Amino acid sequence: MKQTIDPHQVQREVDNRKDELLELVQALVRYKTPSPPARNTVAAQTYIASYLEDLGFSIDKWDVYKGDPNVVGTLKGTEPDYYNSLIINGHIDVAEVDDSEGWNTDPFDPVIKDGNIYGRGTADMKAGKAASLFAIKLLKEAGVKLPGDLIYQSVIGEEVGEAGTLECCRRGYDADFAVVVDTSDCHIQGQGGVITGWITVQSPKTFHDATRRNMLHAGGSLFGASAIEKMMKIIEGLQSLEQHWAVTKSYPGFPAGMNTINPAVIEGGRHAAFIADKCSLWITVHFYPDENHEDIIKEIEEHVLNVAAADPWLREHPPTFDWGGQSMIEDRGEIFPSLAINNEWPGLKTLASSHQHSTGTLPTIGMSPTVTDGGWLAEAGIPTVIYGPGDLQNAHAVNEHVPIDQLLQFTKVMIQFIYEWCHTKKSKHN
């Protein structure tokens, strides 16, 4: 049964206790969790686990990598079989900071100035994590007992494709709806997907550079090639496919041509006195929400092999492919599945209504031009959206910051949404 507690009264506490919220954001920012180098989140995750435990959550903490544990807190509802459950998800790692960057202050010593809070991770995404934690705390202190389960996931590795969220899904965590409180400027968003891959051209033989003439000129009689030069043909083929995609594919909410194939890194050759016998190309592929990485892989491989079939040497020595990966640090690869959203989802409708009631404005619903861990939750069958404070112009930026007014607004929305969603009966019981 729905409690008589007024969530608007709880929301008023956000303004009254603004300093407490800002202190929580500052506390999280002070934990130095840049990735790379990663393996540095134990202290921050222990802090979050303790915070959740104080709010009555049961804690599941395990190492994804040594020095980088996931933390999942579960607050069991009073009637979990009948009322909606919710996952709140966010990553604890932040973008790396280079010593040459011209920060005005220490990026890990957050500063409040001119209506903003500055520090690495404020926009991406420790402010969203702190605000959602604070929203839960205010509901708890108001005596709210949620009928539905509330699950808070603090995950590692998002900045380098180390999918702590995927590990949560593999561990069996599920819910009726999920909100990834990542950088979205308080817009409700889905996303396209990203996959990286390596394409390699390998010669079975190695030749001295003095034999190059015999490979190139009439009567040379040496069937050989530079792997670097053959990779140039593959790059041209990828550009052709990218242009074809820009003309033939589209998705609502994205500008034309957002589905790109970026030749990001090339490695080849061994020495100036040799013909290059190996060349590898690292590509980053962005695709739309109505596509998946398996189909994209197939499409690219078929196109590249067709390019190779038109070249006499590549026909005999076709390129090989290595896709994805679990870490940009460990195996130089990553996957971010796409996230299509449905405006008719009950959870999205409730979040949009909470935003409108709390802010007085309709939320913007659309697509993020970047990627988050939300795709992993979607792949697990959980209706998921991205919704958090901060904008992409500040994410990863020098002097990263988030507006305090937006932080307060987001906290109020989350109070309303958590209360309403976890007090709504599951659709099968309606």
Side-chain angles (χ1 to χ4, degrees), residues 97 101-107 111 116-123 393-402:
V97 178
E101 294 178 0
W103 284 75
N104 293 337
T105 58
D106 183 339
V111 171
N116 299 300
I117 181 165
Y118 290 81
R120 173 56 89 216
T122 48
Q393 284 69 39
N394 276 291
H396 298 198
V398 173
N399 298 320
E400 180 179 349
H401 62 274
V402 66

Side-chain angles (χ1 to χ4, degrees), residues 268-287:
R270 59 171 69 194
H271 190 276
F274 291 84
I275 304 294
D277 59 351
K278 183 179 181 179
C279 185
S280 296
L281 176 70
W282 196 4
I283 64 173
T284 304
V285 185
H286 286 255
F287 52 93

Side-chain angles (χ1 to χ4, degrees), residues 391-412:
D391 60 51
L392 290 177
Q393 284 69 39
N394 276 291
H396 298 198
V398 173
N399 298 320
E400 180 179 349
H401 62 274
V402 66
I404 292 172
D405 285 347
Q406 188 182 68
L407 180 65
L408 299 176
Q409 170 188 303
F410 171 78
T411 308
K412 293 174 184 177

Side-chain angles (χ1 to χ4, degrees), residues 154-195:
S154 183
V155 301
I156 63 92
E158 190 265 3
E159 295 291 354
V160 290
E162 294 177 347
T165 296
L166 174 59
E167 295 304 314
C168 292
C169 296
R170 288 173 172 169
R171 211 164 174 92
Y173 286 102
D174 193 11
D176 296 301
F177 194 67
V179 179
V180 178
V181 291
D182 212 334
T183 318
S184 80
D185 209 20
C186 289
H187 297 174
I188 299 173
Q189 295 180 327
Q191 67 183 37
V194 166
I195 186 167

Side-chain angles (χ1 to χ4, degrees), residues 46-195:
T46 300
Y47 177 89
I48 288 175
S50 177
Y51 196 99
L52 289 168
E53 199 166 28
D54 288 346
L55 296 177
F57 285 73
S58 60
I59 304 300
D60 183 12
K61 181 181 177 185
W62 75 97
D63 279 347
V64 179
Y65 296 94
K66 187 175 181 180
D68 275 339
N70 271 351
V71 169
V72 178
T74 301
L75 186 67
K76 291 299 295 181
T78 57
E79 298 182 77
D81 292 337
Y82 294 92
Y83 287 86
N84 284 325
S85 55
L86 174 65
I87 288 174
I88 297 174
N89 172 282
H91 60 88
I92 190 63
D93 56 313
V94 299
E96 64 180 321
V97 178
D98 189 273
D99 291 340
S100 65
E101 294 178 0
W103 284 75
N104 293 337
T105 58
D106 183 339
F108 297 104
D109 186 13
V111 171
I112 296 171
K113 182 180 178 182
D114 299 327
N116 299 300
I117 181 165
Y118 290 81
R120 173 56 89 216
T122 48
D124 183 17
M125 56 170 289
K126 288 181 175 177
K129 290 174 66 68
S132 50
L133 283 171
F134 195 63
I136 296 167
K137 180 177 183 178
L138 292 182
L139 286 167
K140 177 79 172 179
E141 290 181 354
V144 173
K145 295 182 179 179
L146 300 172
D149 291 344
L150 179 59
I151 301 164
Y152 188 99
Q153 298 178 344
S154 183
V155 301
I156 63 92
E158 190 265 3
E159 295 291 354
V160 290
E162 294 177 347
T165 296
L166 174 59
E167 295 304 314
C168 292
C169 296
R170 288 173 172 169
R171 211 164 174 92
Y173 286 102
D174 193 11
D176 296 301
F177 194 67
V179 179
V180 178
V181 291
D182 212 334
T183 318
S184 80
D185 209 20
C186 289
H187 297 174
I188 299 173
Q189 295 180 327
Q191 67 183 37
V194 166
I195 186 167

Side-chain angles (χ1 to χ4, degrees), residues 379-394:
E379 276 212 342
I382 304 168
T384 301
V385 299
I386 308 161
Y387 180 79
D391 60 51
L392 290 177
Q393 284 69 39
N394 276 291

